[in-house]
Amino acid sequence: MASKLLRTANRTLNVLQNGSKFAGVSVRKNSLWTKEGIIKSPYARVDVPNYTLYDYVWLNLEKWPERTLTVCARTGRGYTYEQAFNLSNAFAANLRQKFKIRDGDVITVMLPNVPDFPLIMLGVMAAGGVVTTINPIYTAHEIQRQLLMSDSKMIVTLPDKVNVVREAIKIAKLNIPIIVIKTNGDPIPEGTVAFNELSEDIHVDKSCLKKVRRTANDLCFLPYSSGTTGLPKGVELTHRNIIANCQQISDPAINCNEETTATHQDVAMAILPFFHIYGSVVVGFHEMAQGVKLVTLDKFQPEVYLQAIEKFKVNILFLAPPLIILMTQHPMASAKVYQYLDHVINGAAPIVATDAERFLSKVQRKIRFGQGYGLTETAPVVAMSPKTLYDYNAVGHPVANTDIRIVDNDLKNLGPNETGELLVRGPQVMRGYRNNSEANANVLTNDGWFRTGDLATVDDDGIIKICDRLKELIKVKGFQVPPAELEAVLRDHPAVSDAAVIGVPHATKGETPKAFVALKPGFSASPKDLCSFVAERVAAYKRIDDISVLESIPRSAAGKILRKDLKSKYC
């Protein structure tokens, strides 16, 4: 492992000052930049095993059968790896026998982070099915839309969600079974089937699973993109896509976990929702394949969350900006609560260095803090900070087997430190959007590149910094204003806990920034004071003239600001 790390470090640092030019920009020889303007990964190429995701997760089961796979932070209910394997197999066999699920059939999972969630997903895949996930707070209209778009054959949910699910099924004019997860001793709703009755069925004939015929190139996961720039689209991810990404983020320069043994097991908090790609792959499938203990929390309660971090000795945290800000500002935040943390990775949306530094000041010791970058369409990780990178504004290099480009509006390659759209090519890139050729044509180029829609820069050494969403840039008199920059400035105000900025039409400027802020408990600040605070810190064209104070900033489950909701409600 040490020699591999040394080779990686040498490759990353082996750049010379004399160089060539492309696009009018000097580039050093032997850097991660090719002469064509493509940025390569510094990490050793990985082999992508020819497995299904189900087989990949259980590949090393015999090494840690008695170790805990999932445990509920509130109740302590959970499963060992061996229990999870056996239960998911029985569930899969019953899906084939009792519900006639066949290869390629889609099953909807609409759950919060309960300990059973990973078992459900793996059971569906063992049966040859495809998992699509739904946020459990969705309305009947939102549910029915995804049921129809995915052609779902069944839905798994909680008993208290059955009424809204039935309404959705009625609207969609479907007749599909409902399976429920029992989290207590209450009877299940009439007309539904309990998951535990299927998974604990010792008499089910598992030989039917031998008829499953799925390959690494088959579809296994169908998450729907967040819809921050339009209606949600089904993202077709194959077994190979997700396994490739798990292999990519296992490189010793960037990984977060040590080997699970008889005396050691890392503990990760599964606070990011499993129904989102970040939670399902990075926290779920990848960590399960490594034998990590996952501490689940079915509803976010700050005190329970913080208590669980200390109680379960959590040492790995994958987070989004709102969680980091909460972990900085909450009255319980302390070095004692965070005493076991070794790795903290931010993703889903960028965080600025000042927010990272404020969080680390609460930890009061040196730990690894990094950023990751990815999208649902890239299964999800494109880049992750190496352990030795201390620039908290950066997201590191592209992961193994991954090429990136920075391009202008004409898709021509730009050079180091120039801002443009980030394009990605690698084995983790989706097969495409489900039944949406127009959307595919917009994001997948003929020569195999995926257009992220994100603005970024890459320095001479191949380090990526994400600037903003291309479609969310505010155009003020022709100048581009990134909302994330103004949001970071607002969060620097001592009274502001969270902020969002959108562009609104303006008679003379074309567009102008409008801000929304949530204040810390016990603090006050007038919109005029906040506008002045920003004006002192930015160029004149970036100044904000209109600020509204809200109780909270609307965000998606992944932590992304829902700018379209702010626009529809307040503009």
Side-chain angles (χ1 to χ4, degrees):
M1 182 177 292
S3 62
K4 186 175 181 181
L5 276 170
L6 184 60
R7 289 197 303 271
T8 298
N10 286 340
R11 184 178 173 191
T12 304
L13 298 175
N14 184 23
V15 291
L16 303 175
Q17 292 303 318
N18 58 314
S20 58
K21 288 188 176 183
F22 69 89
V25 181
S26 293
V27 181
R28 292 174 290 180
K29 288 181 180 178
N30 299 325
S31 76
L32 300 177
W33 289 79
T34 70
K35 62 181 181 180
E36 295 83 15
I38 295 172
I39 304 98
K40 313 294 286 187
S41 173
Y43 305 116
R45 290 189 65 83
V46 296
D47 293 325
V48 183
N50 190 30
Y51 293 117
T52 65
L53 183 56
Y54 178 83
D55 290 333
Y56 177 80
V57 167
W58 299 122
L59 203 56
N60 292 302
L61 174 64
E62 73 281 357
K63 293 183 179 180
W64 45 71
E66 300 304 317
R67 287 291 190 179
T68 299
L69 184 147
T70 54
V71 58
C72 175
R74 287 191 307 105
T75 66
R77 187 175 70 87
Y79 303 99
T80 67
Y81 273 83
E82 187 173 46
Q83 288 172 335
F85 174 77
N86 291 328
L87 293 169
S88 63
N89 263 268
F91 177 57
N94 272 315
L95 289 179
R96 299 281 297 193
Q97 289 193 350
K98 293 183 178 178
F99 297 96
K100 307 306 178 186
I101 294 299
R102 293 296 177 260
D103 294 358
D105 284 348
V106 176
I107 294 179
T108 297
V109 183
M110 183 177 135
L111 293 168
N113 281 18
V114 291
D116 320 77
F117 204 138
L119 281 65
I120 299 289
M121 292 195 290
L122 291 167
V124 171
M125 292 178 194
V130 176
V131 175
T132 189
T133 52
I134 290 183
N135 188 331
I137 68 168
Y138 271 13
T139 64
H141 179 77
E142 291 167 315
I143 297 166
Q144 66 89 24
R145 181 178 181 273
Q146 189 164 327
L147 290 176
L148 289 172
M149 289 185 67
S150 65
D151 189 22
S152 189
K153 307 300 183 187
M154 173 186 294
I155 186 166
V156 185
T157 191
L158 291 180
D160 62 2
K161 300 295 180 183
V162 168
N163 286 341
V164 70
V165 167
R166 280 181 170 153
E167 184 182 351
I169 291 172
K170 182 178 179 181
I171 296 171
K173 298 179 181 178
L174 295 173
N175 181 22
I176 59 175
I178 302 173
I179 295 176
V180 295
I181 306 295
K182 291 181 64 174
T183 58
N184 54 42
D186 294 341
I188 64 171
E190 186 177 350
T192 65
V193 180
F195 165 69
N196 68 295
E197 292 179 6
L198 302 174
S199 61
E200 297 171 12
D201 182 0
I202 61 175
H203 301 294
V204 65
D205 182 5
K206 297 180 183 178
S207 66
C208 65
L209 298 180
K210 295 178 181 178
K211 296 180 180 179
V212 174
R213 295 288 183 271
R214 302 296 278 172
T215 72
N217 293 319
D218 286 324
L219 185 65
C220 73
F221 196 32
L222 186 66
Y224 275 70
S225 62
S226 62
T228 54
T229 56
L231 288 172
K233 300 174 284 291
V235 177
E236 294 189 325
L237 297 175
T238 66
H239 295 273
R240 178 179 169 80
N241 289 149
I242 296 176
I243 292 173
N245 211 225
C246 290
Q247 293 287 95
Q248 289 167 322
I249 61 178
S250 294
D251 188 284
I254 59 177
N255 75 336
C256 292
N257 54 276
E258 298 178 16
E259 183 181 358
T260 301
T261 66
T263 57
H264 176 81
Q265 184 184 28
D266 285 313
V267 183
M269 174 66 85
I271 186 64
L272 297 172
F274 286 134
F275 60 75
H276 186 268
I277 190 73
Y278 185 10
S280 58
V281 174
V282 179
V283 185
F285 298 126
H286 175 261
E287 298 295 70
M288 288 189 291
Q290 306 294 320
V292 173
K293 178 191 292 186
L294 301 180
V295 181
T296 64
L297 193 57
D298 55 354
K299 55 183 176 181
F300 184 67
Q301 297 169 309
E303 291 77 14
V304 176
Y305 168 63
L306 293 171
Q307 288 167 0
I309 290 175
E310 182 180 2
K311 175 183 177 183
F312 289 93
K313 300 182 179 181
V314 172
N315 67 313
I316 300 172
L317 276 178
F318 292 99
L319 302 174
L323 285 166
I324 293 172
I325 293 168
L326 176 136
M327 292 177 68
T328 303
Q329 299 177 352
H330 196 278
M332 283 179 60
S334 69
K336 181 175 181 291
V337 170
Y338 305 143
Q339 63 182 299
Y340 301 106
L341 291 181
D342 295 319
H343 302 267
V344 176
I345 303 295
N346 173 69
I351 194 166
V352 293
T354 50
D355 285 334
E357 289 160 359
R358 277 192 283 264
F359 166 70
L360 290 170
S361 70
K362 291 290 184 179
V363 180
Q364 295 182 16
R365 60 188 176 85
K366 187 176 181 180
I367 66 169
R368 185 258 189 106
F369 183 96
Q371 293 221 60
Y373 166 73
L375 308 94
T376 305
E377 292 87 343
T378 56
V381 183
V382 172
M384 186 183 290
S385 301
K387 298 170 184 177
T388 53
L389 181 66
Y390 299 103
D391 181 351
Y392 302 133
N393 287 318
V395 298
H397 300 102
V399 293
N401 303 35
T402 301
D403 298 335
I404 62 170
R405 296 161 54 198
I406 302 295
V407 302
D408 62 16
N409 291 336
D410 297 319
L411 297 187
K412 293 181 179 178
N413 290 352
L414 299 174
N417 303 308
E418 293 189 297
T419 302
E421 184 181 0
L422 175 64
L423 273 60
V424 180
R425 180 174 64 188
Q428 71 272 46
V429 174
M430 67 171 180
R431 192 163 73 184
Y433 294 121
R434 189 176 185 86
N435 300 327
N436 198 331
S437 57
E438 181 181 353
N440 288 332
N442 289 335
V443 300
L444 296 170
T445 68
N446 292 332
D447 53 350
W449 292 87
F450 169 68
R451 299 187 61 175
T452 68
D454 288 323
L455 288 179
T457 63
V458 181
D459 69 13
D460 290 323
D461 297 324
I463 298 289
I464 307 166
K465 290 185 179 179
I466 304 299
C467 302
D468 219 321
R469 285 291 299 175
L470 187 61
K471 293 182 180 179
E472 291 173 353
L473 281 175
I474 303 166
K475 297 287 186 69
V476 181
K477 293 184 176 179
F479 292 101
Q480 296 182 338
V481 179
E485 177 185 348
L486 295 176
E487 290 157 3
V489 172
L490 283 165
R491 285 199 299 271
D492 279 338
H493 191 284
V496 174
S497 65
D498 201 3
V501 175
I502 60 174
V504 295
H506 190 275
T508 59
K509 299 179 184 178
E511 277 190 309
T512 190
K514 175 179 172 60
F516 303 85
V517 299
L519 301 179
K520 297 175 184 175
F523 284 77
S524 63
S526 70
K528 183 179 179 182
D529 290 341
L530 293 171
C531 288
S532 299
F533 180 84
V534 174
E536 293 171 3
R537 290 162 173 79
V538 300
Y541 71 90
K542 297 180 183 178
R543 291 176 182 171
I544 302 172
D545 299 319
D546 185 8
I547 297 180
S548 299
V549 178
L550 306 179
E551 288 189 8
S552 63
I553 301 300
R555 290 181 179 267
S556 72
K560 294 180 181 179
I561 296 169
L562 296 174
R563 303 183 204 278
K564 63 183 179 67
D565 289 2
L566 290 170
K567 286 184 177 182
S568 64
K569 189 171 183 179
Y570 298 103
C571 300

